[in-house]
Amino acid sequence: MSFRKVNIVILMLAVILFLLVLHHNFLGLSSLLRKEVSDSGFLGLEPIDFVPDAPSHAVDGKQEEIPVVIASSEDRLGGAIAAINSIQHNTRSSVIFYIVTLNNTADHLRSWLSSGPLKNIRYKILNFDTKLLEGKVKEDPDQVESMKPLTFARFYLPILVPNAEKAIYMDDDVIVQGDILALYHTPLKPGHAAAFSEDCDSASTKVVIRGAGNQYNYIGYLDYKKERIRKLSMKASTCSFNPGVFVANLTEWKRQNITNQLEKWMKLNVEEGLYSRTLAGSITTPPLLIVFYQQHSNIDPMWNVRHLGSSAGKRYSPQFVKAAKLLHWNGHFKPWGRTASYTDIWEKWYIPDPTGKFSLIRRHTELSNIK
């Protein structure tokens, strides 16, 4: 009898030990899965903050959620704030903002977003690890953007917005005057991973750079003297496009490994210098032009009325500016800077920084200080 009892006790202890081991393994697996889902730091894009509460008008479960990605450094945060405010005000759709910045900017951005009109928006702050660009970008004093890592965030959209089928990317120097839902519903042709606004077809481009050389063609961005570029058989006269605003089909983007393709051309440029020495625009444009050559759809040109920052003067009529769905201050003259055009329109959407770190630079302010 006692022998049987001993066997039963041993059996029960074995079962208990087995259950404890199973429980421990389950917890380990669960922890691993949670880390896999929440921590994308190995790719240099680590979530910092997320506010899931939607504004009251966007609670309708039938609505599509529109992911909008904006990258902004601390010295340009005012631009991102104004862009976000203009988007939120002009749509009744459910928008979630993915704001890409550097780690030391997160607290500043969070305090700004939690104040006033933007306190109810849905957003996610993502840290961009500059190590992601090692070996892919060569610092060039003549190209200021080569030393601004956030300009390359747009190359990593599927990592930034991992669960979305589509997303909108836009620069931080824009103001949206139309309903972002219309841009989100831009039709993309089968097999196309993105839709851009082409420079040749843009009403704004014709006004600004007509007769100014090759700023709207591939030859303005790529060095056709290089054999590697010539072997691609891309016509130098092909119309370029502006990557400051675009709609991406992320399913197609991942299927075609667009990010890997872009990184490949970044590395080759570091090794061989493939970009034009008189680069017509952003340093991020050349690899996009190569990867998306004759493989992109078009957005309505009124959704990227640009070159507002190419000079301090006003190039468009008030009627044209009012009709634009999106205004883009690409160029040196930013609307928060000392000299810019249409600053009155931009300031309508600007929200002052509660911390006081960011302030508008205005010529009349400087003159009053001199007096």
Side-chain angles (χ1 to χ4, degrees):
M1 181 69 70
S2 60
F3 182 73
R4 288 182 61 190
K5 285 183 178 180
V6 170
N7 284 343
I8 291 171
V9 171
I10 293 173
L11 181 61
M12 289 178 65
L13 288 173
V15 170
I16 292 170
L17 183 62
F18 173 77
L19 291 174
L20 286 173
V21 171
L22 186 65
H23 180 66
H24 176 76
N25 289 340
F26 175 78
L27 287 177
L29 178 61
S30 177
S31 175
L32 179 64
L33 289 174
R34 282 199 304 272
K35 183 175 178 62
E36 194 75 25
V37 170
S38 64
D39 185 5
S40 56
F42 71 97
L43 284 167
L45 297 160
E46 182 180 352
I48 297 174
D49 196 14
F50 181 52
V51 178
D53 297 325
S56 57
H57 66 255
V59 173
D60 184 358
K62 296 180 181 178
Q63 287 190 336
E64 285 184 274
E65 186 174 80
I66 304 175
V68 175
V69 179
I70 299 177
S72 188
S73 55
E74 184 145 23
D75 62 322
R76 298 169 61 110
L77 277 189
I81 292 292
I84 291 169
N85 191 30
S86 69
I87 293 168
Q88 188 71 10
H89 184 87
N90 287 306
T91 188
R92 294 190 59 81
S93 299
S94 178
V95 179
I96 178 167
F97 297 96
Y98 292 79
I99 310 165
V100 190
T101 189
L102 301 177
N103 203 22
N104 56 4
T105 306
D107 288 339
H108 182 192
L109 176 57
R110 192 179 297 112
S111 64
W112 207 336
L113 290 170
S114 63
S115 67
L118 299 179
K119 61 184 178 182
N120 289 324
I121 70 163
R122 304 178 70 216
Y123 70 89
K124 192 171 187 176
I125 300 176
L126 297 170
N127 173 51
F128 191 87
D129 189 346
T130 56
K131 291 179 182 177
L132 196 66
L133 300 176
E134 288 181 358
K136 304 182 187 81
V137 180
K138 184 178 182 180
E139 290 194 0
D140 182 354
D142 295 330
Q143 292 295 335
V144 179
E145 280 192 351
S146 68
M147 292 172 271
K148 294 184 177 180
L150 289 170
T151 193
F152 298 97
R154 72 198 81 191
F155 290 3
Y156 300 92
L157 285 181
I159 305 167
L160 295 168
V161 195
N163 299 318
E165 294 182 3
K166 286 176 65 180
I168 296 171
Y169 172 85
M170 57 181 61
D171 286 343
D172 57 11
D173 53 357
V174 307
I175 288 296
V176 174
Q177 300 187 131
D179 188 338
I180 200 74
L181 183 66
L183 178 61
Y184 184 72
H185 281 162
T186 297
L188 273 70
K189 296 178 181 177
H192 286 183
F196 302 90
S197 176
E198 289 197 345
D199 291 327
C200 301
D201 297 334
S202 169
S204 59
T205 298
K206 289 177 181 177
V207 169
V208 175
I209 63 172
R210 183 176 51 223
N214 297 310
Q215 293 187 23
Y216 49 84
N217 292 339
Y218 269 48
I219 199 170
Y221 293 87
L222 299 167
D223 188 352
Y224 275 79
K225 294 178 181 178
K226 297 295 173 69
E227 184 181 2
R228 190 176 294 275
I229 295 297
R230 291 201 306 270
K231 281 184 175 180
L232 293 172
S233 299
M234 300 183 302
K235 290 184 179 179
S237 61
T238 301
C239 183
S240 56
F241 54 75
N242 179 273
V245 179
F246 64 91
V247 181
N249 178 333
L250 298 181
T251 303
E252 196 64 39
W253 189 295
K254 287 182 279 192
R255 191 185 71 80
Q256 297 182 32
N257 291 318
I258 296 294
T259 297
N260 290 343
Q261 291 188 56
L262 292 168
E263 288 185 325
K264 167 193 168 184
W265 288 105
M266 290 168 71
K267 291 175 184 176
L268 286 172
N269 177 63
V270 169
E271 296 167 5
E272 303 177 26
L274 302 178
Y275 304 165
S276 170
R277 291 188 177 181
T278 57
L279 194 64
S282 170
I283 196 172
T284 57
T285 305
L288 287 164
L289 292 179
I290 295 171
V291 173
F292 285 101
Y293 178 71
Q294 296 184 344
Q295 287 294 316
H296 69 273
S297 299
N298 297 322
I299 65 173
D300 182 341
M302 296 302 280
W303 272 102
N304 192 1
V305 172
R306 49 199 179 275
H307 303 294
L308 275 74
S310 62
S311 73
K314 295 187 176 182
R315 296 180 176 271
Y316 311 125
S317 69
Q319 294 79 10
F320 181 74
V321 171
K322 186 177 181 180
K325 302 296 184 182
L326 183 147
L327 299 170
H328 190 181
W329 278 264
N330 61 316
H332 297 296
F333 300 93
K334 300 303 180 187
W336 55 83
R338 183 172 292 107
T339 306
S341 59
Y342 310 101
T343 54
D344 54 329
I345 296 174
W346 183 86
E347 285 188 30
K348 176 183 175 183
W349 303 108
Y350 174 69
I351 300 169
D353 182 1
T355 70
K357 292 180 181 178
F358 184 97
S359 59
L360 305 183
I361 304 171
R362 292 291 181 256
R363 177 176 286 177
H364 60 78
T365 304
E366 292 181 345
L367 290 174
S368 63
N369 290 337
I370 293 172
K371 293 177 182 178

